[in-house]
Amino acid sequence: MSQNSLTVVDNRTGKKYEIPIKNGCIKAMDLRQIKVDEQDFGLMAYDPAFTNTASCTSKITFIDGDRGILRYRGYPIEQLAEKSTYLETAYLVLHGELPNKSQLDEWTYHITHHTFIHESIKKFLDGFHYDAHPMGMLVSTVGALSTFYPDAKDIFNPDSRRKQIYRLIGKMPTLAAFAYRHMLGMPFVYPDNELSYPGNFLNMLFRTTEIKYKPNPVLEHALDVLFILHADHEQNCSANAMRSVGSSHVDPYSATAAATAALYGPLHGGANEEVIHMLREIGSVQNVPDYIKRVKAKEKLLMGFGHRVYKNYDPRAKIIKRIAYEVFDVVGKNPLIDIALECERIALEDDYFVSHKLYPNVDFYSGLIYQAMGFPFSMFTVLFAIGRTSGWLAQWLEMLGDPEQKIARPRQVFLGYDQRNYVPLEQRK
Ligand code: CMC
């Protein structure tokens, strides 16, 4: 008997099956042979929310939640945050290798020269209410891009795919900044090709009467690092949406709109905003012990703590905490940081948090930076979406190139009525 296999005995029939194990997994389809009789459909695995089901093989991002490890294409997130730029990291995530000088120059050139959006998108944005949520505007305008680029439907043409990738990474900051300016009722600011990726984004957000906008280098760098930290996070809700919707072979703008919509939810990209609300509710450092008591009594959650995968300090949270101080040196200290630090100090020493393996996650400090930089809460998830676009596209490309993938189509366990006959209206109770 092969060692790399699982022996299953079906106690309903007494039959024995040997199921191969590969990469620590059994294939769910190998269960289908397990039947009570010939009419039986065969055994399935029931796994709502995919908590123990791998939906794909991937070579993009590695996470070891117990040891607090995150790597893109093998490179530790700490090294990328310190030494790389967002555009270089996006290249790495998408292509699998770091670019050489000429590859990076070409990549940067193409992204920079695809930042303009069609003038009609501006008219489209004008149709939104002044108080429209920028994530709603982003979902709609990203989806609308597919109508401007019908060539994007040619998804098996590598040249077309490359072009859509330039466009998506290039235009996301423009769409995000235009949504922000629309909220403020301020004129749109066009991209400046002489600025870096994050520098140009700051220009489109914040430029007023200056002839030439000069981004603050500390804020420009902080934003670049935040984009790096958010570039990918393997099979999370929005990556899964990108793959699932993309598996129908729709164009990448429509699939990215679906991924952006998934990110919009408070259980995914919206938690950093909740952290700020919580810190405001706590109000002062003196009130922290009382709040922690309420968390332990299960009356409240300590927002920005805990993670489905990380059962150790989220490595991104450590980097963000350091960046927060660099930002505060420029824009002034966010008064909420002292409350956050006290929450962290108490929690890391407390038995409840230690035994539940609850540590700060990426959202614990990111909202404090965004708020200090002057972003309204509603823009927090938009910033996440810009960084994550490269990861979504990498997941999409990997899915399209994987011969084992097909249109995503989960099974269900049907527990509804068996067949019954239609009852005319007058005979119903
Ligand atoms: N505060 C207090 N207790 C908590 C917390 C928290 N933040 N998170 C989990 N717990 C407790 C929970 O009550 C449960 O306790 P018990 O076993 O005694 O019933 C135990 O820890 C396990 O929690 P869970 O909810 O079953 O764990 P999960 O893996 O399903 O949830 C989570 C993960 C992130 C949804 C959860 O930790 C949470 O709600 N955290 C606060 C919200 C937050 O910060 N979300 C950002 C996630 S990271 C960014 C992203 O993914 O987009």
Side-chain angles (χ1 to χ4, degrees), residues 268 271 295 298 302-308 352 356 358 361 363:
H268 189 5
V295 170
K298 305 263 187 215
L302 189 58
M303 297 310 292
F305 264 67
H307 198 277
R308 172 64 61 79
Y352 174 89
H356 283 78
L358 298 171
N361 60 48
D363 292 320

Side-chain angles (χ1 to χ4, degrees), residues 372-414:
M373 285 172 86
F375 288 107
F377 296 158
S378 57
M379 281 297 286
F380 292 3
T381 318
V382 173
L383 297 164
F384 192 154
I386 294 173
R388 186 54 60 86
T389 301
S390 54
W392 288 333
L393 289 166
Q395 300 286 345
W396 173 71
L397 278 183
E398 193 173 60
M399 181 271 304
L400 288 181
D402 182 347
E404 291 193 331
Q405 289 293 341
K406 296 176 174 207
I407 186 166
R409 207 308 186 179
R411 289 278 171 185
Q412 66 169 7
V413 179
F414 181 71

Side-chain angles (χ1 to χ4, degrees), residues 7-27:
T7 303
V8 176
V9 179
D10 184 347
N11 293 324
R12 298 171 303 176
T13 58
K15 276 197 195 158
K16 207 179 199 185
Y17 302 84
E18 201 185 335
I19 296 177
I21 298 177
K22 193 175 165 197
N23 299 323
C25 293
I26 59 159
K27 280 194 172 177

Side-chain angles (χ1 to χ4, degrees), residues 134-346:
M135 275 302 278
M137 290 193 258
L138 191 62
V139 170
S140 318
T141 47
V142 173
L145 287 182
S146 78
T147 66
F148 294 91
Y149 306 114
D151 57 318
K153 293 191 192 311
D154 198 4
I155 57 167
F156 289 108
N157 175 345
D159 290 335
S160 168
R161 283 203 304 245
R162 198 171 309 122
K163 199 161 195 180
Q164 314 320 323
I165 288 170
Y166 294 146
R167 285 175 174 152
L168 267 160
I169 297 178
K171 291 178 203 311
M172 279 297 263
T174 315
L175 295 175
F178 279 27
Y180 174 71
R181 301 287 288 207
H182 176 76
M183 274 164 68
L184 300 183
M186 288 185 71
F188 301 126
V189 177
Y190 284 78
D192 179 343
N193 287 354
E194 288 175 9
L195 295 175
S196 70
Y197 188 80
N200 173 50
F201 182 47
L202 289 169
N203 159 63
M204 293 187 291
L205 290 165
F206 298 130
R207 193 175 127 211
T208 49
T209 56
E210 312 90 305
I211 308 281
K212 176 91 183 161
Y213 181 84
K214 287 203 185 87
N216 179 297
V218 175
L219 303 188
E220 189 180 359
H221 175 249
L223 209 50
D224 208 36
V225 174
L226 284 157
F227 288 156
I228 292 174
L229 299 182
H230 287 97
D232 195 52
H233 213 231
E234 51 119 306
Q235 304 312 312
N236 52 79
C237 179
S238 57
N240 184 55
M242 184 82 190
R243 280 180 176 261
S244 181
V245 173
S247 77
S248 74
H249 293 175
V250 74
D251 67 86
Y253 301 103
S254 302
T256 303
T260 311
L263 188 74
Y264 192 179
L267 293 187
H268 189 5
N272 45 18
E273 183 178 337
E274 295 304 321
V275 172
I276 303 291
H277 292 309
M278 176 191 76
L279 296 175
R280 282 185 162 174
E281 185 191 334
I282 296 173
S284 76
V285 170
Q286 292 72 30
N287 295 340
V288 171
D290 188 52
Y291 191 86
I292 296 281
K293 256 190 218 152
R294 296 176 66 196
V295 170
K296 288 163 66 176
K298 305 263 187 215
E299 288 170 32
K300 294 270 179 189
L301 278 176
L302 189 58
M303 297 310 292
F305 264 67
H307 198 277
R308 172 64 61 79
V309 178
Y310 293 114
K311 299 301 169 196
N312 201 325
Y313 212 105
D314 181 336
R316 300 168 299 175
K318 272 190 200 148
I319 300 165
I320 292 183
K321 191 173 168 185
R322 180 170 46 76
I323 296 286
Y325 284 99
E326 292 171 15
V327 170
F328 298 161
D329 281 345
V330 175
V331 296
K333 195 167 110 175
N334 187 329
L336 298 177
I337 185 77
D338 291 331
I339 304 175
L341 286 172
E342 184 65 358
C343 287
E344 184 186 326
R345 189 189 67 76
I346 296 184

